[in-house]
Amino acid sequence: DWYDVVDLVGGNRIGVAVGDVVGHGLAAAGVMGQLRSALSAASRVAAGPGEALNLLGRYAHVVDGAEAATAVTTFIDFDAHTITYSSAGHPPPALVHADGRVQFLDRATDPPLDARPEPFPRPQASATYGEGATLVLYTDGLIERRHEDIDTGLSRLADSLGRHRTEDPERLADSVLLELLPPGGATDDTALVIVRL
């Protein structure tokens, strides 16, 4: 699992992304490093997150071991108070509003990075936010459990985020990890990125 935060060209904007590759060990880490670097570069030149993931998908097609890799990327515009996002087979980011409402950014979801033999434009969507909102990106290790519907994990995440939303980002991350990771330890890698907007 990996994450990245990059400054975007033009305006008061950043890109925030997380991703997940299949497998463990040195080979998987090598694939992860290549995809992370490629998405970082693509985000700096792409018109939006959909185009950035489209470029990354084309690159993933020639990287051995990138099959079934997932990623989600968000472009945050702090002046316009908007988040534009796109997902390649990845769980949806959570936008926690100041009033405690949790909105999953799931209107621009597409298959994993190397799922199509030919490049195809990826969708993107936008959401607005107000003061005091928080953006949360994560990998599947945080919410998925064997023999459990993914919606159960998403509900558990939304509940935890809503109750702890006023904590500073580091304490919020600690609270969410403590509540969502299994007591005996996680069986999958977990990445969690929290951005106070």
Side-chain angles (χ1 to χ4, degrees), residues 82-165:
T82 59
I83 301 166
T84 307
Y85 61 93
S86 185
S87 174
H90 202 82
L95 176 57
V96 187
H97 297 276
D99 62 4
R101 182 173 53 95
V102 177
Q103 175 185 2
F104 286 106
L105 305 182
D106 58 3
R107 294 188 351 246
T109 301
D110 220 23
L113 290 172
D114 191 26
R116 292 188 176 121
E118 296 296 324
F120 191 83
R122 294 205 179 253
Q124 67 181 37
S126 293
T128 59
Y129 66 88
E131 292 296 327
T134 303
L135 179 65
V136 180
L137 285 80
Y138 53 93
T139 55
D140 59 358
L142 186 66
I143 57 165
E144 289 184 353
R145 300 291 174 266
R146 290 181 188 203
H147 313 295
E148 182 179 88
D149 187 87
I150 192 168
D151 288 337
T152 303
L154 290 171
S155 294
R156 198 168 33 241
L157 174 60
D159 177 66
S160 182
L161 290 171
R163 284 186 290 105
H164 298 287
R165 69 186 180 279

Side-chain angles (χ1 to χ4, degrees), residues 25-40:
L26 187 58
V31 172
M32 177 273 295
Q34 291 177 72
L35 295 181
R36 179 182 175 207
S37 295
L39 182 56
S40 182

